[in-house]
Amino acid sequence: HLADSDAILIEIGINEEDFWWCRSFRHGSYKPVVLYGRDVPSNVWVQGLRQGADAFLSLSMEQKVLLARLQAVLRRAGVGLV
C-alpha cells in the first residue's frame, strides 16, 4: 500500500508511461521516487531524473550495492534504514 511505504519504486523501461508514473508520484508525495531497471540507456535515466525521480538503480549492480544505494536515498529522505 502506497501510504505505508517509505519510498516509491518504479521499474523503468523506454515506455513514456513510466515517466507519467514518475511525475504523478512526485506531485502527490514527498516520498523518494527511485527508478530501477536492467540495460536501460543513460538518456532514459536522465529523462527519469528530470521528471522527478530522486535516484535510479541498475539491476546489473551487485545486490549489496543496490541495497546500499537504496538505504542512502532513504537516509537523505529522513526515513529509517531498512
Side-chain angles (χ1 to χ4, degrees), residues 12-48:
I12 199 81
I14 56 172
N15 186 340
E16 184 61 34
E17 185 175 304
D18 297 333
F19 300 111
W20 178 87
W21 282 109
C22 187
R23 289 189 303 272
S24 175
F25 285 128
R26 174 52 57 216
H27 292 297
S29 174
Y30 291 104
K31 296 178 182 192
V33 175
V34 179
L35 306 177
Y36 70 94
R38 183 181 308 278
D39 300 326
V40 177
S42 60
N43 64 311
V44 174
W45 291 126
V46 170
Q47 185 176 358

Side-chain angles (χ1 to χ4, degrees), residues 30-69:
Y30 291 104
K31 296 178 182 192
V33 175
V34 179
L35 306 177
Y36 70 94
R38 183 181 308 278
D39 300 326
V40 177
S42 60
N43 64 311
V44 174
W45 291 126
V46 170
Q47 185 176 358
L49 292 167
R50 288 182 176 158
Q51 296 293 328
D54 296 295
F56 69 86
L57 303 174
S58 173
L59 295 179
S60 60
M61 294 178 185
E62 290 183 51
Q63 185 177 2
K64 63 183 177 183
V65 175
L66 287 170
L67 181 57
R69 290 187 70 173

Side-chain angles (χ1 to χ4, degrees), residues 61-82:
M61 294 178 185
E62 290 183 51
Q63 185 177 2
K64 63 183 177 183
V65 175
L66 287 170
L67 181 57
R69 290 187 70 173
L70 184 55
Q71 288 173 331
V73 169
L74 292 174
R75 186 173 49 251
R76 285 192 300 273
V79 177
L81 294 179
V82 291

